[in-house]
Amino acid sequence: MKSDSVKTGVSQAPHRSLFNALGYTEEERRRPMIGIVCSYNEIVPGHMNLDKIAEAVKMGVAMAGGMPVMFPAIAVCDGIAMGHIGMKYSLVTRDLIADSTECMAKAHGFDGLVMIPNCDKNVPGLLMAAARVNVPTIFVSGGPMLAGHIDGRKRSLSSMFEAVGAVAAGKMTMEKLAEYEEKVCPTCGSCSGMYTANSMNCLTEAIGMALPGNGTIPAVYSARIRLAKHAGMKIMELVEKNIRPRDIMTREAFMNALTMDMALGCSTNTMLHLPAIAHEAGVELNMEIANEVSSRTPNLCHLAPAGPTYMEDLNEAGGIYAVMNELAKKDLLNLDLITATGKTVRENIAGCYNRNPEVIRPIENPYMQSGGIAVLKGNLAPDTGIVKRSAVLPEMMVHEGPARVFDCEEDAIAAITGGKIVPGDVVVIRYEGPKGGPGMREMLNPTSAIAGMGLDDTVALITDGRFSGASRGASIGHVSPEAAVGGPIALVHEGDIISIDIPANRLELKVSDEELAKRKAAWTPREPKVTDGYLKRYAALVTSGNRGAVLELPR
């Protein structure tokens, strides 16, 4: 066993004395040592139940003959961090989580790991760590929140942000806003739509690193506790068979995940996280391939914010395996890959059928013939720009209008809520990319303000930052190269005409090459917004959004 390096032999007597100090018995030390990486905390609603999940996992490990040992991972609540300096510290935690988990796992000689994440950067951070450490690993998340109910309709956190915009526009009273506050987030769990946390938990299941139900069983269901116990038992089988993350997370598995991403209509943040996880697994995943995958993958689900259904509905409709079974009808997935169940994808999805064609469209009757995410290119985004196509209104699929340029999110929000943005405008928010932010803030506040004020059918938003999975509308993010390194988005002037053609995958600034060259020659880098602490180091090491914002040492 790998843990023999800290438990067995004469030289390990000092180590054993420390295990004695921890209260572990000799009988426990003879068993495989399983690290339980738990992200429990009291600031993230999606994590407040993880102590119960961890206890269930530990019981499962012990029942199957293992020695469970828990240690923590951090997590930021994107909703609470939204709209202020806190959002600069969201994406950057992905690498802190991966680094710290790698340190703990390698320092203590674990034979296997069970990862217990739930929210946005926590899931990809632990997947990155799993690929690095590469000992048998399985994931079990805390599960999604149930939807809220207002006036007989289901609602979620995105409704809350849009309600703020509606109040600013005089379309909602303060009393109604207070009702939303009370009701949109009724339980613990990751927010109830197909936002980033739920997107990544579903894709963890699709890529093969979790048991069925990981992405969809609601946090408050007892089935989630049973799932955790089974994950604890299953890790012992993976250790025995030596099935490791890099055996599971192959290039073919990432293609399965990307295909499922398109079918589900996941958050655009998956376009940051999948390449970063693949990078750690030794797989090169160029996001330009996304359009190729999208072109052959029908969009089968319109969960909030794209539509009126929620994670609980997807769970009742058959969950991730039911969606995979629909895709398998047209041979869109590789079914022969090994997974953390110990079985192949084909074996996993056998008999998992679609129980609700209104939630999971049959593949013969999709919402769209192409996938939920599109990669746009053009002279404004020479590398890439990303849009959640499934959440864009039909009338905004092609749009042209004057640029309204802002060098930070706060200035844009003030203009939107102040009534200075009018139908036809294209809001440009720049210097918010991985380096320029630094930290690549999510833009849920401005997108929600646009939607809440009733402008989402006439106004587009473009940024080198990124969007929450809760954002909807013609919101184009990850524009690369970013403004901080002199990308074309830094050269846009107020009033320039911007052309968006999502079906054609184009994003163009209607300015001549000669004029852009003049502007480029006159451009000078901005002074860094942050000059100390972790963000300074992050800005020095981070790459562009089109590469997954992975960290690299300067050459």
Side-chain angles (χ1 to χ4, degrees), residues 249-251 254-255 274-287 289 546-548 550 552:
M249 291 194 286
T250 61
R251 177 170 179 78
F254 280 103
M255 293 305 292
L274 286 177
I277 299 161
H279 177 75
E280 298 293 348
V283 174
E284 187 66 31
L285 194 65
N286 188 325
M287 277 300 95
I289 200 171
N546 70 304
R547 295 186 55 202
V550 298
E552 285 186 351

Side-chain angles (χ1 to χ4, degrees), residues 313-398:
D313 303 312
L314 180 58
N315 187 62
E316 295 302 317
I320 297 308
Y321 282 6
V323 180
M324 295 180 83
N325 226 337
E326 288 291 339
L327 296 177
K329 292 176 182 177
K330 290 196 174 180
D331 297 322
L332 293 172
L333 298 174
N334 187 322
L335 303 182
D336 298 319
L337 307 178
I338 193 66
T339 71
T341 67
K343 301 177 181 178
T344 64
V345 175
R346 188 186 309 277
E347 292 172 301
N348 288 342
I349 68 175
C352 298
Y353 60 93
N354 182 359
R355 300 191 186 101
N356 189 339
E358 297 301 313
V359 177
I360 304 171
R361 287 279 187 93
I363 199 160
E364 301 82 10
N365 182 34
Y367 282 102
M368 299 185 297
Q369 290 295 338
S370 54
I373 291 176
V375 176
L376 311 185
K377 297 189 76 171
N379 69 347
L380 187 51
D383 292 336
T384 53
I386 305 291
V387 64
K388 186 171 182 175
R389 174 167 42 198
S390 59
V392 179
L393 292 170
E395 54 266 43
M396 289 299 291
M397 286 290 187
V398 177

Side-chain angles (χ1 to χ4, degrees), residues 123 127 139 194-210 214-216 248-249 253-267 269-271 273-274 277 311 320 324 373:
V123 184
L127 282 165
F139 279 65
M194 188 56 82
Y195 309 145
T196 305
N198 291 325
S199 294
M200 290 308 304
N201 282 325
C202 288
L203 295 185
T204 300
E205 196 175 327
I207 208 170
M209 287 296 292
N214 178 72
T216 59
I248 296 169
M249 291 194 286
F254 280 103
M255 293 305 292
N256 277 359
L258 193 53
T259 301
M260 280 293 290
D261 194 336
M262 298 301 172
L264 290 167
C266 290
S267 163
N269 280 315
T270 61
M271 297 293 105
H273 299 322
L274 286 177
I277 299 161
M311 295 306 296
I320 297 308
M324 295 180 83
I373 291 176

Side-chain angles (χ1 to χ4, degrees), residues 2-320:
K2 186 178 178 65
S3 61
D4 285 345
S5 63
V6 296
K7 294 189 303 184
T8 303
V10 174
S11 297
Q12 280 67 40
H15 306 67
R16 290 193 295 274
S17 72
L18 293 169
F19 280 112
N20 287 337
L22 287 161
Y24 291 112
T25 65
E26 182 180 347
E27 290 81 2
E28 287 174 293
R29 293 200 307 268
R30 294 194 192 115
R31 299 175 171 190
M33 188 166 67
I34 307 300
I36 314 297
V37 189
C38 181
S39 303
Y40 169 77
N41 62 54
E42 295 180 343
I43 191 62
V44 185
H47 291 229
M48 63 180 286
N49 66 324
L50 297 192
D51 55 340
K52 296 177 178 61
I53 300 295
E55 288 304 314
V57 168
K58 289 168 71 176
M59 184 176 292
V61 169
M63 284 192 294
M67 174 185 169
V69 180
M70 186 168 69
F71 63 88
I74 65 168
V76 163
C77 178
D78 277 20
I80 294 173
M82 194 72 65
H84 58 97
I85 192 173
M87 183 45 68
K88 293 180 185 290
Y89 287 90
S90 173
L91 178 61
V92 304
T93 64
R94 187 184 70 180
D95 297 276
L96 284 174
I97 291 162
D99 292 349
S100 59
T101 303
E102 173 196 356
C103 291
M104 288 294 288
K106 291 199 170 183
H108 299 105
F110 291 105
D111 298 297
L113 298 168
V114 181
M115 306 292 199
I116 308 177
N118 211 28
C119 289
D120 293 28
K121 311 313 161 304
N122 193 241
V123 184
L126 290 178
L127 282 165
M128 290 163 68
R132 278 190 210 170
V133 178
N134 203 33
V135 298
T137 303
I138 194 168
F139 279 65
V140 56
S141 76
M145 184 184 291
L146 293 177
H149 291 263
I150 299 176
D151 300 330
R153 295 179 61 188
K154 289 183 178 180
R155 298 289 188 181
S156 63
L157 183 65
S158 57
S159 309
M160 187 73 248
F161 278 90
E162 289 179 17
V164 174
V167 169
K171 296 183 177 183
M172 181 181 287
T173 65
M174 290 298 294
E175 290 74 21
K176 197 66 177 178
L177 182 71
E179 182 183 358
Y180 270 64
E181 254 182 83
E182 289 292 324
K183 295 180 178 179
V184 297
C185 296
T187 72
C188 65
S190 48
C191 297
S192 54
M194 188 56 82
Y195 309 145
T196 305
N198 291 325
S199 294
M200 290 308 304
N201 282 325
C202 288
L203 295 185
T204 300
E205 196 175 327
I207 208 170
M209 287 296 292
L211 297 179
N214 178 72
T216 59
I217 297 172
V220 295
Y221 283 14
S222 296
R224 176 65 54 179
I225 300 296
R226 297 197 298 273
L227 177 70
K229 290 177 181 176
H230 284 130
M233 290 185 270
K234 182 61 67 173
I235 189 60
M236 299 307 297
E237 178 187 331
L238 297 178
V239 168
E240 181 183 355
K241 295 179 177 177
N242 195 29
I243 298 174
R244 295 178 292 171
R246 291 195 182 195
D247 299 325
I248 296 169
M249 291 194 286
T250 61
R251 177 170 179 78
E252 292 77 13
F254 280 103
M255 293 305 292
N256 277 359
L258 193 53
T259 301
M260 280 293 290
D261 194 336
M262 298 301 172
L264 290 167
C266 290
S267 163
T268 52
N269 280 315
T270 61
M271 297 293 105
L272 282 175
H273 299 322
L274 286 177
I277 299 161
H279 177 75
E280 298 293 348
V283 174
E284 187 66 31
L285 194 65
N286 188 325
M287 277 300 95
E288 292 186 35
I289 200 171
N291 285 338
E292 179 188 330
V293 175
S294 180
S295 68
R296 62 174 182 260
T297 307
N299 177 228
L300 305 182
C301 298
H302 265 194
L303 287 91
T309 54
Y310 292 79
M311 295 306 296
E312 62 205 66
D313 303 312
L314 180 58
N315 187 62
E316 295 302 317
I320 297 308

